[in-house]
Amino acid sequence: FQFQAIDLRWGVSTEAGLDHRTMRICFDELRRAQEISPRPNFLILLGNRYGWRPLPAAIPAAEFDQILPLVAPTDQGALLTWYRRDDNALPPVHILQPRTGEYEAYEAWEPVESQLRTVLEGAALQAHLPAASLVKYMASATEQEIVDGALQVPDATEHVFCFLRDIQDLPNAPTAASFRETDPAAAQKQVELKERLRQQLPGNVHEYQTHWQGDHPALDHLDRLCEDVYAELSAIILTETGRLEAVDALDQEMAAHAAFAADRARVFVGRADILTAIEQVLAGSAPHPLVVWGVSGSGKSALMAKAVEQAQQRGHKVLYRFIGATPPSSSGRALLESLC
């Protein structure tokens, strides 16, 4: 067994930020953890800050058509400039355009981002969109992740834990800017988010109060925090490992990759020429290997998942692995041992 801690606030490249891919990367990482990891797979740490509220990177065209007429004419131009319709997507979406030129500097982008956020939030509320659709317009990145990782997870009460900190008497000073919200509306949203967690995850919420000390929060709560995190996670981990040890390791690995392949093949469309080429090689007798090559992100895993599915449907016996889909497949030696 391997334990891997992933902090969704670290590791997103500058290029991904300029392309507005930050949230997609975070959601993909969250879903990967949910797919390949036993419990636990999500842990919540919240302080006094509500955090960054990203613009939605994509808006379904039908939803955009509802919103646009509700936007003031003076703001429609900005919205149409930054959100371009993409009819290659099924169904079509409006995509937030990358930040280029002067907008690579956040100082130049921030007022545009703020304007677009205000416009979209107001119009989305007027359109009376369902709550699930409103989240992307109104919630912070952290709240959106918590919704996907905890609040919409049926068995969250069995393995998701929250650790909430409140700093008393936070000063209105530059030294405290990283620990408090200057916007009262954002501060209220953080209060409401914590309350939702208390209500939906009763018994799984640990709370800590500390005070401001000089230029930083006092650290007198950290020992108890560490003990609480260890107690909660270790109990779940020991239960899960005990259950999994009863299942053959090879069966576990095969099942994990089968689930990964099924997920990728489920939404696969197109590339019929490549699939036909693979089918012809499998049906032939040439002794040479076939290599499918593509740059990162070009859809190799989905293509191979579909090829595996079609080969199995034609009666072939297929040994397959997706590198990095599970901890053992991330190691060259373990991957080869599993295939052997």
Side-chain angles (χ1 to χ4, degrees):
F1 299 97
Q2 296 182 0
F3 181 85
Q4 182 180 18
I6 299 167
D7 186 339
L8 296 179
R9 298 281 76 82
W10 285 75
V12 178
S13 69
T14 301
E15 291 77 11
L18 295 175
D19 285 344
H20 310 290
R21 288 184 288 121
T22 299
M23 293 308 299
R24 190 181 78 191
I25 291 170
C26 292
F27 286 137
D28 285 349
E29 195 65 33
L30 173 55
R31 292 188 183 98
R32 188 174 74 92
Q34 292 169 330
E35 288 170 3
I36 71 172
S37 297
R39 306 167 181 176
N41 55 38
F42 196 68
L43 183 147
I44 299 168
L45 300 171
L46 284 180
N48 292 75
R49 287 195 64 193
Y50 185 61
W52 171 57
R53 292 170 56 203
L55 292 171
I59 301 174
E63 199 170 285
F64 192 88
D65 291 342
Q66 284 182 265
I67 288 173
L68 189 62
L70 302 173
V71 174
T74 52
D75 293 319
Q76 287 186 0
L79 200 59
L80 291 168
T81 296
W82 283 100
Y83 279 93
R84 305 265 182 90
R85 183 181 172 103
D86 178 8
D87 285 308
N88 288 318
L90 293 174
V93 294
H94 284 259
I95 300 291
L96 181 58
Q97 298 305 293
R99 290 161 48 195
T100 57
E102 64 176 307
Y103 296 110
E104 290 186 15
Y106 189 71
E107 295 76 13
W109 167 244
E110 195 277 335
V112 176
E113 181 184 45
S114 179
Q115 177 199 8
L116 292 173
R117 185 191 302 116
T118 301
V119 167
L120 286 170
E121 181 177 340
L125 287 170
Q126 288 184 62
H128 301 293
L129 297 178
S133 299
L134 278 176
V135 169
K136 62 180 175 291
Y137 299 105
M138 306 185 68
S140 68
T142 301
E143 179 170 359
Q144 291 183 47
E145 291 156 357
I146 289 172
V147 168
D148 272 33
L151 298 179
Q152 292 182 349
V153 177
D155 63 350
T157 54
E158 300 175 25
H159 67 96
V160 175
F161 301 97
C162 313
F163 303 89
L164 314 181
R165 181 185 67 184
D166 182 56
I167 306 171
Q168 301 291 304
D169 304 320
L170 263 170
N172 186 13
T175 54
S178 298
F179 298 92
R180 64 188 299 273
E181 283 293 348
T182 55
D183 178 6
Q188 181 59 31
K189 283 178 176 287
Q190 184 73 336
V191 171
E192 293 169 359
L193 176 58
K194 288 183 176 181
E195 186 57 32
R196 286 179 67 192
L197 291 169
R198 294 185 189 103
Q199 292 178 4
Q200 290 195 226
L201 300 174
N204 293 23
V205 177
H206 297 263
E207 303 204 42
Y208 312 87
Q209 282 196 347
T210 188
H211 60 279
W212 192 256
Q213 189 175 56
D215 60 355
H216 63 274
L219 307 180
D220 49 4
H221 62 295
L222 290 186
D223 287 343
R224 185 162 64 92
L225 169 67
C226 293
E227 291 169 3
D228 290 343
V229 171
Y230 179 83
E232 296 287 24
L233 291 186
S234 62
I236 298 294
I237 290 170
L238 289 172
T239 299
E240 289 299 308
T241 54
R243 183 181 297 124
L244 287 171
E245 282 170 345
V247 181
D248 180 77
L250 183 58
D251 288 340
Q252 290 179 41
E253 186 72 1
M254 291 168 63
H257 287 272
F260 183 93
D263 181 67
R264 296 306 185 277
R266 178 173 53 86
V267 294
F268 184 91
V269 294
R271 301 196 179 185
D273 54 339
I274 303 178
L275 290 170
T276 300
I278 294 173
E279 179 183 354
Q280 290 172 348
V281 171
L282 294 179
S285 58
H288 308 296
L290 171 69
V291 175
V292 177
W293 179 91
V295 298
S296 178
S298 59
K300 300 183 298 299
S301 295
L303 174 67
M304 293 305 297
K306 192 66 177 179
V308 166
E309 179 186 83
Q310 292 184 350
Q312 290 173 327
Q313 290 170 350
R314 293 191 298 272
H316 291 292
K317 298 293 186 182
V318 186
L319 299 179
Y320 60 93
R321 296 291 187 272
F322 295 88
I323 295 173
T326 62
S329 66
S330 301
S331 158
R333 181 183 180 91
L335 176 66
L336 291 174
E337 286 178 349
S338 179
L339 284 170
C340 292

